[in-house]
Amino acid sequence: MSDRWVRRLWRFFEDLMEDIEEEIERVFRYRPRIPAGPKGYEVQDLGDRFVIVADVRGFGKDDLEIEATTRAVRVSAKKEALERKDYTLYERKFEGFYVELPERIVPEEVRATVRHGVLEIILPKAEKKEWKKIRVD
């Protein structure tokens, strides 16, 4: 077998697996898996993007850590204890959250802002692969 033939076959199977995954998600109407427990955030599907809005009162942009893959986003935060005169302010606690998304996103294009204790994360969806007809000459 030539290397070129093997690469074509490998690409065919990769595309086939992606198509199968997308069809399974469509058929079973996959819902985002969101951990149980008190939630201080919401996930919205706006067609071309997902938007996550979270309550992060007391935390600024430097206290937050956001990570994204093509299928999930994870948010965590930590604030160091502050010493003041005759009392100590203890570390603020934010459990963070992890959301698995029902469609692929583009991690490089994810944007986040914090205003008045509200974190907003914009997660643009990846383009869906369309079958293209090839004309045979």
Side-chain angles (χ1 to χ4, degrees), residues 61-78:
K61 67 179 187 176
D62 296 331
D63 304 319
L64 296 165
E65 183 173 301
I66 302 168
E67 299 172 290
T69 67
T70 58
R71 288 292 207 155
V73 64
R74 178 174 40 211
V75 177
S76 58
K78 185 170 184 171

